[in-house]
Amino acid sequence: MGVNMEINSFKNYESGIHLYINIANLNYLVKKDETDNDMNHVFHLLNTFLVTIQRFICDEFGDEVFFEKLTGSRIHYILKGPSKTKGYAFIKICRFVILISKEILKIGKYNSFSSLPVQIGADIGDYVDFKFCDYSTKYEEYTSIGFPANYACKLQAIASPGEIVVSEKLCKFLKMLGYNGLTKVDFERSSSLKEKYNNVGDPYLLDFRDDMFSFFESQNAQFKMFKERTISHYVDYARNVANRVNLSEMEHRNPRDISRFQDFTLSNNAFFDGTVVFADVRDFTKKFASNGYNLTNMSSITKSILSTMYNRCNCEKGIHVQFQGDREFVIFDEGLEDAAIIFALKLSDEITKIADGIHIGIGGNFGDLYAASIGINKEDLDIKKQPSILGKTIIEANKLEDQEAGCDEIVVSDTLYQKIKDANVKALFSKRKSYWVTSKKYSNFIELGRKIDEDNNYKKEVYNPWCI
């Protein structure tokens, strides 16, 4: 298997605005939809929302705004280059997202949804783009790293529904353009970030009062709202997207091969049982200097982290779903619960050896999973399809990794723990609250005399050196 990650350059960084758009109530919608034993309504709404935003961005800005990926409920955009036009574009995109999120729910198919609140976070600065390629499968994925790429996601997380939170650095940039509709975030939320990240300053709320927006628009000819198009144009477009696939036409089937989850469509989405594993590097954002001075070193470390995650996933029969910054999202087919734990144990071992101070937290769960490809339409060939795997199983695994797993800890749900067949694997865990946790390594498992037969069962050719 030939695996390669390509990076633009260690010396010539990209610079721009990182923008995260999050659907604040997606977990609630997922749980509500899953009571009907499908995810049709959520997949349908997510598709219309993403495609409409992307259509607007393509119309207005072409390839000046890069759509990186959809990760669960979050959409990540990069406005490359810190020019004035990118500042105007950022304001316009935020304004559009707030408006269209309210208008989409007026479409008949979505009357059952009470709200579609969005949270937006953004930062500006230097970053590096990774292009990940697995040449054996022709799989490609883009992911970006750097302080603004990571910090924008943190800012989105503290935004209340309907809010846009920007860094102090981006706030100063927007004020230079003449936009003064910015106020400091309340002390409680601001202090929680400033305590964790050095030299970031205060986060700010972007205010879209009509008088402030109109003044800014009148001062900047480039800011003409939606060119010749109005918001009603995109409401009509969203309605057309929604009508391309009727809810009654959507089928969910149990696939024979879940490794082809990217081939599942909106009309033919998938339902299956499996294990979900999230693996995330702890406090990775803090390791990036906010001014970007250590980006070269951190880029090298990130390459090693991502390649280690991907290779270990392959070796243990896991299925890589996507990178989420410095986080790996992996699924395992039903019956491979022990392999999922071995993956977690070995990955925890390997990540800590990459560099001093690098630690990982892992969360796992077993249960129902729903998969579809979002954003692929014959009329929208410029919108690359995005894999979306949803369900309460995902929500719980995410919670275990994010909120319960400490440095070098593996935390699994009771459901997954009960599916583990090897008694010696189970013996590595102890119960904490309602879940199971271990900080032991794969070497501890070997000491118990239960080494997996890697040569016969799990081993694949592993990509080692980097080619740039």
Side-chain angles (χ1 to χ4, degrees):
M1 177 177 63
V3 181
N4 185 22
M5 286 185 186
E6 298 173 356
I7 190 169
N8 293 341
S9 172
F10 278 144
K11 296 180 180 179
N12 301 313
Y13 309 130
E14 295 276 4
S15 185
I17 299 172
H18 285 258
L19 169 64
Y20 277 89
I21 302 164
N22 184 59
I23 300 175
N25 65 340
L26 188 71
N27 284 352
Y28 167 77
L29 299 178
V30 165
K31 291 177 180 178
K32 184 174 180 290
D33 218 18
E34 196 165 355
T35 58
D36 298 326
N37 201 35
D38 65 41
M39 207 58 62
N40 289 350
H41 285 81
V42 173
F43 280 142
H44 205 287
L45 176 65
L46 195 57
N47 186 75
T48 300
F49 184 60
L50 174 61
V51 170
T52 304
I53 294 173
Q54 186 66 8
R55 181 74 276 154
F56 164 73
I57 289 175
C58 288
D59 288 346
E60 292 288 306
F61 313 112
D63 58 4
E64 293 182 10
V65 178
F66 178 65
F67 168 46
E68 187 178 287
K69 68 180 66 172
L70 170 72
T71 58
S73 59
R74 291 195 302 264
I75 309 168
H76 183 191
Y77 283 102
I78 307 173
L79 290 73
K80 296 188 175 184
S83 62
K84 287 184 179 181
T85 56
K86 296 305 185 297
Y88 303 143
F90 169 71
I91 298 287
K92 291 176 74 172
I93 292 169
C94 289
R95 175 72 166 175
F96 178 78
V97 169
I98 295 294
L99 291 173
I100 203 66
S101 65
K102 298 175 182 177
E103 294 295 329
I104 279 179
L105 291 187
K106 296 177 182 178
I107 297 172
K109 287 183 172 66
Y110 309 132
N111 286 339
S112 61
F113 297 113
S114 58
S115 63
L116 188 64
V118 293
Q119 303 161 283
I120 298 176
D123 190 15
I124 187 171
D126 293 336
Y127 66 97
V128 174
D129 262 341
F130 284 98
K131 179 183 178 182
F132 180 89
C133 303
D134 184 338
Y135 295 120
S136 67
T137 61
K138 297 183 180 179
Y139 173 75
E140 289 187 356
E141 181 179 351
Y142 292 85
T143 194
S144 56
I145 64 102
F147 188 84
N150 295 348
Y151 191 56
C153 188
K154 309 299 182 186
L155 292 169
Q156 166 264 300
I158 69 165
S160 298
E163 285 185 344
I164 301 158
V165 179
V166 303
S167 66
E168 184 172 82
K169 192 174 181 180
L170 181 53
C171 171
K172 291 177 179 178
F173 179 70
L174 295 174
K175 285 184 175 180
M176 285 174 57
L177 300 181
Y179 191 84
N180 294 308
L182 296 133
T183 57
K184 286 185 179 180
V185 171
D186 60 83
F187 176 78
E188 183 177 354
R189 289 186 289 171
S190 177
S191 59
S192 66
L193 277 181
K194 290 167 72 176
E195 288 174 6
K196 192 170 184 180
Y197 305 105
N198 296 325
N199 305 318
V200 294
D202 293 299
Y204 282 76
L205 290 173
L206 200 63
D207 191 347
F208 274 141
R209 297 194 313 270
D210 288 340
D211 58 338
M212 181 61 69
F213 187 78
S214 298
F215 171 77
F216 186 66
E217 186 177 7
S218 67
Q219 299 299 305
N220 300 282
Q222 302 109 305
F223 199 71
K224 189 175 181 181
M225 186 66 171
F226 311 150
K227 293 183 179 176
E228 300 302 320
R229 304 175 183 88
T230 62
I231 187 65
S232 62
H233 168 83
Y234 290 100
V235 173
D236 290 340
Y237 178 80
R239 187 174 291 108
N240 289 333
V241 172
N243 289 335
R244 291 174 191 170
V245 177
N246 292 322
L247 288 165
S248 59
E249 298 171 344
M250 295 176 67
E251 298 180 0
H252 60 281
R253 53 193 174 83
N254 196 292
R256 293 182 179 179
D257 182 8
I258 67 170
S259 67
R260 300 184 64 83
F261 67 89
Q262 292 188 352
D263 295 336
F264 306 146
T265 65
L266 196 63
S267 299
N268 295 291
N269 52 74
F271 163 74
F272 55 92
D273 288 335
T275 298
V276 176
V277 178
F278 286 108
D280 180 68
V281 180
R282 289 295 177 252
D283 293 326
F284 203 55
T285 304
K286 292 172 65 174
K287 300 184 187 305
F288 288 88
S290 57
N291 62 5
Y293 84 86
N294 66 342
L295 197 49
T296 296
N297 182 52
M298 291 305 298
S299 296
S300 178
I301 291 173
T302 303
K303 283 199 305 181
S304 297
I305 289 171
L306 298 185
S307 58
T308 298
M309 287 176 167
Y310 189 84
N311 283 327
R312 182 47 54 198
C313 167
N314 276 338
C315 288
E316 310 305 332
K317 289 190 175 180
I319 300 167
H320 168 82
V321 177
Q322 64 182 183
F323 296 118
Q324 300 175 349
D326 54 282
R327 191 190 202 210
E328 166 82 305
F329 176 11
V330 178
I331 56 176
F332 289 81
D333 205 350
E334 185 174 15
L336 293 176
E337 295 78 32
D338 286 30
I341 303 301
I342 297 300
F343 161 76
L345 291 167
K346 289 185 176 180
L347 184 63
S348 183
D349 265 344
E350 293 167 350
I351 292 294
T352 55
K353 296 174 183 177
I354 289 174
D356 291 340
I358 299 295
H359 301 279
I360 196 169
I362 299 174
N365 190 21
F366 177 89
D368 297 340
L369 299 170
Y370 303 83
S373 289
I374 301 299
I376 186 70
N377 294 281
K378 290 180 180 178
E379 295 86 350
D380 296 290
L381 297 179
D382 51 353
I383 302 174
K384 186 177 180 181
K385 67 177 181 179
Q386 293 288 303
S388 180
I389 302 181
L390 302 175
K392 289 182 286 188
T393 303
I394 299 280
I395 296 170
E396 180 64 17
N398 180 74
K399 179 182 176 182
L400 291 175
E401 177 274 303
D402 185 53
Q403 300 179 24
E404 304 296 345
C407 288
D408 303 324
E409 283 190 338
I410 301 166
V411 178
V412 301
S413 67
D414 186 66
T415 304
L416 176 53
Y417 178 80
Q418 299 303 330
K419 295 285 289 185
I420 298 171
K421 301 177 181 65
D422 193 309
N424 289 295
V425 174
K426 278 191 170 184
L428 298 175
F429 289 85
S430 58
K431 194 159 190 180
R432 181 199 292 170
K433 300 179 184 178
S434 60
Y435 48 82
W436 297 82
V437 60
T438 184
S439 57
K440 294 181 179 178
K441 307 295 184 184
Y442 183 66
S443 56
N444 299 119
F445 179 63
I446 300 232
E447 288 168 3
L448 294 172
R450 295 292 297 177
K451 181 178 171 68
I452 294 292
D453 183 356
E454 297 174 357
D455 290 333
N456 293 328
N457 295 331
Y458 294 98
K459 191 171 184 180
K460 293 184 179 180
E461 184 181 348
V462 176
Y463 170 78
N464 234 345
W466 281 86
C467 297
I468 300 174

